[in-house]
Amino acid sequence: RDEAKTAEMQQRSAGPALRRLIGAPGDAIVLPGMQKIEFRNFSTVGAPDSMAKSGVLYYEVELISAEGHSQFGFASGAFKIGIDEHVEAAVGDDDKSWGLDGHRECTWHDFRAQAWPCKWATGDVIGLAANIDLGKIAVAKNGDWSSSGCGVVFDSEKIKQG
């Protein structure tokens, strides 16, 4: 499969191997040789080989196009993956993950959306950090951790479980 070849190339490059975790094949394309993803339908992409039980995790997403709905966040090891069909669920849509959606301006966790005052647009760079030991998830927009909606957005004992 092309997805498996792309993941193998990413692992050889010493970066995290991104792959489609939920959604029909072709709904999210991880472009070979780079850490870019083309979303064609609602799906979930992640780096399940980069799971951690302690410490701090950080990644950034640059919004090349701000069309549609996208949720970014973190998931525990119990987050269900390997669903090869279109489903209306993503990170934050269960009790095992925490998601942020700057298009609809809400946070997602445990099947619930909460209003969140942070709007994303094309060209924005979104930084996400999880401090597993403290049980906190924080977000930055264009390097700013203190503007409206940025900083710590989730504080939960569940995050400490990794």
Side-chain angles (χ1 to χ4, degrees):
R1 287 174 45 188
D2 288 339
E3 289 178 344
K5 287 180 188 175
T6 300
E8 187 178 307
M9 279 181 16
Q10 290 178 54
Q11 286 173 328
R12 283 196 307 262
S13 72
L18 299 174
R19 64 183 176 100
R20 178 184 49 81
L21 304 176
I22 300 173
D27 280 358
I29 309 291
V30 178
L31 302 174
M34 55 185 84
Q35 298 293 71
K36 292 188 179 182
I37 304 162
E38 180 181 324
F39 289 96
R40 296 182 178 165
N41 210 336
F42 200 71
S43 55
T44 298
V45 170
D49 298 329
S50 298
M51 294 293 292
K53 292 284 190 184
S54 65
V56 177
L57 301 171
Y58 177 80
Y59 70 95
E60 291 182 345
V61 176
E62 180 182 359
L63 300 174
I64 305 297
S65 171
E67 297 175 21
H69 302 296
S70 54
Q71 292 169 213
F72 301 105
F74 292 94
S76 73
F79 183 70
K80 188 173 180 181
I81 63 174
I83 301 170
D84 288 337
E85 62 185 336
H86 179 74
V87 294
E88 292 291 329
V91 66
D93 290 339
D94 64 6
D95 63 343
K96 296 162 184 57
S97 62
W98 298 263
L100 300 159
D101 180 340
H103 301 288
R104 293 178 281 187
E105 296 181 71
C106 54
T107 62
W108 293 88
H109 176 65
D110 205 8
F111 310 99
R112 290 188 305 263
Q114 299 288 321
W116 177 57
C118 188
K119 184 79 171 160
W120 297 341
T122 298
D124 285 343
V125 175
I126 309 305
L128 294 108
N131 186 319
I132 298 168
D133 301 325
L134 296 179
K136 297 178 188 244
I137 294 174
V139 64
K141 178 178 164 184
N142 299 320
D144 184 352
W145 295 91
S146 60
S147 64
S148 181
C150 294
V152 175
V153 290
F154 293 107
D155 189 343
S156 170
E157 288 295 314
K158 285 184 177 181
I159 295 170
K160 293 180 180 181
Q161 297 170 13

